[in-house]
């Protein structure tokens, strides 16, 4: 998680939310790294998880990320949780909960849906305080008191 936090703080654009993600192979090799780049790339799908998963799949030469672990600083949204399932990531580790859009237990629980053929192992709340603080510090100056 510390590596994902380090990735998150290196902004791709000033308005990109600081979220970092890293995909590791079963033997701990770093396969993919991603940070939010929606603003920088003008791409609504450029979430940290998607960027890291794409990079890992490219490096492996396969879309199947079986045996891999995705570590991300924020609970994945529906799109990213779906990508975790469809890429067959074996383990998902995340830091901060996202009560408004989280799809790994907060709003939805996509990754544990028994109707799906693949369900990763999930570890939540890892370095939660540090991950949350990163987001609080990012959003605080952007919020207006009405």
């Amino acid at each position: 998680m510390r590596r994902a936090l380090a990735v998150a703080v290196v902004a791709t654009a000033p308005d990109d939310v600081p979220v970092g993600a890293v995909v590791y192979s079963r033997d701990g090799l770093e396969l993919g790294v991603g940070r939010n780049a929606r603003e920088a790339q003008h791409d609504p799908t450029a979430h940290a998880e998607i960027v890291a998963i794409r990079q890992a799949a490219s490096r492996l030469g396969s879309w199947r990320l079986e045996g891999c672990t995705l570590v991300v600083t924020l609970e994945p949204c529906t799109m990213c949780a779906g990508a975790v399932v469809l890429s067959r990531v074996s383990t998902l580790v995340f830091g901060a909960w996202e009560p408004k859009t989280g799809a790994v237990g907060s709003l939805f629980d996509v990754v544990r849906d028994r109707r799906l053929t693949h369900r990763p192992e999930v570890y939540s709340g890892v370095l939660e305080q540090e991950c949350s603080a990163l987001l609080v510090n990012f959003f605080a100056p952007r919020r207006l008191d009405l």
Side-chain angles (χ1 to χ4, degrees):
M1 186 59 74
R2 295 221 183 273
R3 172 71 171 126
L5 278 163
V7 169
V9 298
V10 180
T12 52
D15 290 332
D16 273 317
V17 178
V19 176
V22 184
V23 176
Y24 294 99
S25 69
R26 69 173 30 105
D27 46 341
L29 179 67
E30 190 175 284
L31 298 173
V33 176
R35 62 185 52 85
N36 274 353
R38 293 187 312 169
E39 299 297 334
Q41 296 178 11
H42 311 289
D43 179 356
T45 68
H47 289 204
E49 301 94 310
I50 300 297
V51 173
I53 286 170
R54 285 178 178 158
Q55 201 175 91
S58 178
R59 185 158 183 199
L60 284 176
S62 174
W63 60 268
R64 291 177 183 88
L65 300 182
E66 294 162 332
C68 292
T69 298
L70 171 65
V71 179
V72 61
T73 58
L74 181 64
E75 178 185 4
C77 69
T78 307
M79 174 182 68
C80 295
V84 167
V85 170
L86 294 174
S87 66
R88 298 183 184 167
V89 166
S90 295
T91 306
L92 170 64
V93 178
F94 72 88
W97 291 91
E98 174 45 278
K100 293 181 181 178
T101 62
V104 186
S106 288
L107 186 61
F108 301 108
D109 201 348
V110 172
V111 299
R112 293 185 193 97
D113 191 317
R114 293 187 183 276
R115 296 169 293 183
L116 301 175
T117 57
H118 176 76
R119 289 181 299 280
E121 204 171 336
V122 177
Y123 298 92
S124 56
V126 176
L127 297 181
E128 183 175 1
Q129 297 294 2
E130 291 93 320
C131 294
S132 294
L134 188 62
L135 295 165
V136 167
N137 293 337
F138 174 79
F139 284 110
R142 289 166 172 77
R143 295 214 163 99
L144 298 176
D145 290 339
L146 300 177

